[in-house]
Amino acid sequence: MFFFLAYAFSWVGWLPVVIGMGEPIRTLSFVAGGFGPALAGAVVTWLDGGSVWAWVRQIVRWRVAPRWYLAAIFLPLLVVGLASVAIVLLGTNVDPTVLSGRLSLVLGSYVFVALIGGGNEEPGWRGFALPRLEEWYAPVPATLILGVVWAFWHLPQLVADPNAVYSFAWLVEEIPGIVLRVVNIVGFAFLLTWIYNETESVLLALLLHAGINTANSTLIPLPIEAITGESFMTVLIAVDIAVWVVAIVLIVGTRGQLGYDTTRNAAGRQETC
């Protein structure tokens, strides 16, 4: 029910974007659709007789060890650093000097993504779906399931928006590009699973989500027009490589648990039974 409602709320919300309506309806539609997973989480929690307030509280759970805030900042920088190395290995020269004037762009993008450009999805994906999937599946398959659902949830938005940093607009007829984008999102799901499992805080997942999107769109050491233009495919491949290197290290380093407390899994099964 959650997955169905998340898709339904968002895809209906994005309909004006898909059919090409002008501003300000287009922007309002884009923003409204992004809240679909969060709205679905609230609705299903209520229908299931759960406490919507308890579900909301974890969204703003900020009392976690400082190292997890550092992780939310460091992981996106690590991915960008590895991606930059991969870009060079793929034959494209990078230019770190282009980053010098991007502070305001980085800060503006981070706030936008955290509030209405991606972070607003996290109360649904990590705050609702992930803990329930992990009651029945190990963290790795649970993350794979959620990652694939999350990836294809973006489809109408990305196909319709030619200005999106990771737009499908010029890749809709190229299966490799679509596959790379899905691989990209599924890989990031593992990073988000890890930080959520370690903290049980949607806020930390939200901050990591905002950091990931912001870093990939503003901190790649290439001109912005190159990231979204002629170097788009190279950047996408490089980011895929980088994020999966980090994801595999997390999977191996945590022995597949991704920070998940197995005693919580057992308790969840007993409550359900």
Side-chain angles (χ1 to χ4, degrees):
M1 183 181 293
F2 167 78
F3 287 148
F4 172 79
L5 289 178
Y7 270 63
F9 290 152
S10 294
W11 287 21
V12 170
W14 287 331
L15 187 59
V17 175
V18 174
I19 64 177
M21 292 186 68
E23 298 295 352
I25 301 299
R26 183 184 184 87
T27 297
L28 292 173
S29 170
F30 169 81
V31 172
F35 286 91
L39 180 58
V43 169
V44 177
T45 297
W46 176 70
L47 290 176
D48 200 38
S51 170
V52 176
W53 177 240
W55 171 77
V56 169
R57 281 202 304 270
Q58 68 169 335
I59 299 172
V60 293
R61 180 178 293 145
W62 61 273
R63 291 184 177 179
V64 299
R67 67 179 181 275
W68 297 114
Y69 286 96
L70 294 176
I73 295 171
F74 174 73
L75 276 181
L77 298 179
L78 175 61
V79 170
V80 165
L82 292 174
S84 299
V85 173
I87 288 170
V88 173
L89 294 177
L90 291 169
T92 298
N93 293 325
V94 298
D95 180 11
T97 63
V98 301
L99 302 178
S100 61
R102 292 187 185 172
L103 179 59
S104 61
L105 179 62
V106 170
L107 294 177
S109 175
Y110 188 87
V111 173
F112 173 83
V113 174
L115 297 177
I116 58 175
N120 52 318
E121 304 165 20
E122 291 307 320
W125 300 132
R126 258 54 64 172
F128 182 91
L130 179 62
R132 285 159 178 78
L133 284 169
E134 287 183 321
E135 290 180 4
W136 298 102
Y137 302 97
V140 170
T143 302
L144 285 172
I145 293 168
L146 181 56
V148 171
V149 172
W150 180 35
F152 283 100
W153 170 84
H154 289 84
L155 191 60
Q157 175 197 85
L158 297 173
V159 168
D161 186 358
N163 297 314
V165 172
Y166 292 120
S167 173
F168 276 132
W170 63 282
L171 294 174
V172 289
E173 296 181 357
E174 298 185 23
I175 297 300
I178 296 175
V179 172
L180 284 172
R181 186 63 182 111
V182 170
V183 169
N184 180 290
I185 295 173
V186 174
F188 281 131
F190 282 92
L191 279 62
L192 289 161
T193 290
W194 175 69
I195 204 160
Y196 176 80
N197 281 345
E198 290 284 6
T199 64
E200 295 185 59
S201 170
V202 175
L203 176 61
L204 267 293
L206 183 157
L207 295 177
L208 178 57
H209 190 148
I212 287 168
N213 286 17
T214 299
N216 290 335
S217 61
T218 63
L219 294 180
I220 296 291
L222 290 170
I224 295 296
E225 58 272 17
I227 297 174
T228 59
E230 69 270 14
S231 298
F232 172 83
M233 191 62 107
T234 299
V235 171
L236 184 54
I237 293 171
V239 172
D240 278 6
I241 293 170
V243 75
W244 274 98
V245 167
V246 176
I248 290 170
V249 168
L250 289 175
I251 293 169
V252 173
T254 63
R255 299 183 179 180
Q257 293 304 305
L258 294 170
Y260 189 63
D261 183 350
T262 55
T263 61
R264 196 166 70 235
N265 189 3
R269 287 174 182 268
Q270 290 174 358
E271 289 176 5
T272 303
C273 294

